[in-house]
Amino acid sequence: MIVGHGIDAQIISQVSAVAERRPGFVDVILTPAERAVYDSRKGKHRQEFLAGRFSIKEAYSKAIGTGIGSQAHWQDIEILPNEAGQPIMVKHPRQNQAVVHISISHTGDTVHSSVILEKTTTPAIAEENHEKVANQAVISTRRPAWIEISASAIAQNIAVVRELTDTHHFIAIVKANAYGHGLAQVVTAAKKASVDGFGVATIDEGIWLRQYGVMEPIFILGVTPADYVDELVTYQLIPIVTSEAWLDAASRKLSSQATLVLSIGVDTGMGRIGIRHPEELQRVVEKINQNDQLILKGIGMHFATADEKDQTYYQQQVKTWHKLVDDLPLPSNTWHHLANSATSLWHEQPSEDAIRVGAAMYGFNPSGKEITADKLTPALTLKAELVHVKEVAAGTAISYGATYTTTQSEWIGTLPLGYADGYARQLQGMYGLLPDGRHVEIIGRIAMDQLMVRLPEDMPIGTVITLVGKVGQEEITLADLAEHLNTIPYEIATSLSTRLPRKLVK
């Protein structure tokens, strides 16, 4: 059943002229994900993209009968290309009520768009919508708990590492939802900082980046089964060759007209994945060189102890690398990527070709607190608002297990955040920061969705408490939480739940 239809037409050159006169116009119209696609396009294709998104969002607002305003804002509507490059409306205000069919057509200097809203009543449509919903993570945007990611901090950290290392290529590692910081937010910020490539753990992450509009080289750091060679070719992803057997299997799967770009993994002592024996490594390089369908983009390794003060094992790995790689007949433009964040921060660079940077880009210290990293700026802030405040008498037990009992009359505040959001139960006894920098202790057991803090006085609902981040001169870092939990900052960041909204801020 059709419940709405809207059409619109725009003059492409006029929309482009508005964008030139008003620098903030593009970011008003386009979501961060759309902006990334826009930035990847050049010349008239970029102008067509902007005018098309402007037009289709106008058409949508007409289809729901309200126009752009209270019920449909520019940022509420998002259109991204699917695997075939077809524009798909992936987000809109009536998402739970209707399926959207869209069309964007460019003719000369004009773009025409059409939006049809179809009520989800038929079994086929309901099943299709159900499948889409089933594959989407629920992000709790209507709950006052969120993560902020600073674009300027990411840019600054990238600049710091570039200056420290003076290497030619910066590969931004964005695996595991960008170390829990939010893939869309970090990729948008990293692209603006002009990184040279991206690194992911899985082929699915790589495909997502391509669909998001990333044009830079994308290295897959984990093993990709050879069965997915066709998708590697389609999305121009760079898998890691971890053995001669994998290379042979991938070569057999490669269609006759396809070209596969590769990076070789060398195991110098990490003991995880990669080629360990010189004879096998030599054969792999020769097979790639002799096959016109194979292109070698990179060769790399991973340091196991670069974040420790004792450099003995680090230097042993460097020597093993040179022994295995120096005499290989590698193409002159092959990226040698050895350095991780710790290597970039504290060691003389073993290669000037490329560095792979994760933790340092996000501004947290890869060694925890063993070695200082003062030049880094944390990009992540975790915040929540008070949703309930009450005064309780002495002798009142708070939360599960009655592990905290008041000894006097106290003001207790509740935050809508818990261990299901990645704020672990064991963080009872930690503290948050009030807007003026004062500490508020976390009391009682942290529940799945809520936690309580002891307030110094009555405070209004909506008061923002910072649980990770800086307020004035006071700061709570990922390393602070990691130390409390006897773990590493990586685990804290990547444990932050996807249901927490990530917001890219300046």
Side-chain angles (χ1 to χ4, degrees), residues 357-386:
V357 181
M361 180 175 68
Y362 303 107
F364 65 82
N365 189 330
S367 76
K369 294 186 176 181
E370 182 171 345
I371 310 175
T372 59
D374 297 333
K375 294 183 179 180
L376 301 179
T377 304
L380 182 147
T381 301
L382 174 61
K383 297 180 178 179
E385 294 179 2
L386 291 173

Side-chain angles (χ1 to χ4, degrees), residues 184-330:
Q185 293 74 20
V186 170
V187 168
T188 299
K191 281 176 65 67
K192 287 184 178 180
S194 300
V195 300
D196 304 291
F198 289 90
V200 296
T202 70
I203 184 174
D204 300 277
E205 292 173 336
I207 291 172
W208 187 97
L209 289 183
R210 287 290 185 234
Q211 293 175 343
Y212 192 70
V214 170
M215 304 299 290
E216 293 81 3
I218 299 174
F219 293 82
I220 302 176
L221 306 179
V223 179
T224 303
D227 290 342
Y228 297 109
V229 161
D230 286 345
E231 288 175 282
L232 292 170
V233 171
T234 298
Y235 292 101
Q236 299 178 31
L237 304 174
I238 306 170
I240 184 171
V241 180
T242 55
S243 67
E244 185 179 9
W246 185 94
L247 180 65
D248 291 342
S251 299
R252 289 193 296 270
K253 295 281 185 180
L254 197 59
S255 61
S256 60
Q257 301 301 316
T259 300
L260 180 62
V261 183
L262 301 166
S263 181
I264 298 174
V266 180
D267 182 5
T268 64
M270 184 69 175
R272 195 163 57 181
I273 59 175
I275 301 171
R276 300 172 60 90
H277 303 293
E279 297 82 5
E280 182 181 9
L281 190 55
Q282 181 76 29
R283 291 194 301 271
V284 164
V285 172
E286 289 176 353
K287 286 183 176 182
I288 295 173
N289 289 341
Q290 294 167 6
N291 190 334
D292 292 338
Q293 291 184 264
L294 303 177
I295 298 174
L296 187 61
K297 179 69 173 180
I299 185 167
M301 56 157 285
H302 200 76
F303 286 107
T305 61
D307 57 351
E308 298 177 7
K309 291 180 180 179
D310 187 342
Q311 295 192 27
T312 304
Y313 195 73
Y314 173 88
Q315 294 298 339
Q316 181 179 320
Q317 284 193 264
V318 173
K319 290 179 181 179
T320 302
W321 166 267
H322 288 301
K323 183 178 179 181
L324 288 170
V325 174
D326 283 356
D327 294 329
L328 291 174
L330 300 172

Side-chain angles (χ1 to χ4, degrees), residues 266 293 322 379 398 441 445 461 467 501:
V266 180
Q293 291 184 264
H322 288 301
I398 303 295
E441 184 185 353
R445 283 184 182 162
I461 301 298
L467 295 162

Side-chain angles (χ1 to χ4, degrees), residues 88-89 99-100 126-137:
I88 301 294
M89 190 171 289
V99 173
V100 178
E127 183 176 349
E128 178 184 355
N129 192 52
H130 180 270
E131 184 177 353
K132 289 180 180 178
V133 172
N135 291 325
Q136 294 176 352

Side-chain angles (χ1 to χ4, degrees), residues 390-398 404-412 454:
K390 59 182 177 293
E391 185 178 21
V392 300
T396 302
I398 303 295
Y404 178 86
T405 302
T406 60
T407 58
Q408 58 185 0
S409 176
E410 294 180 7
W411 285 98
I412 307 298
R454 185 176 60 240

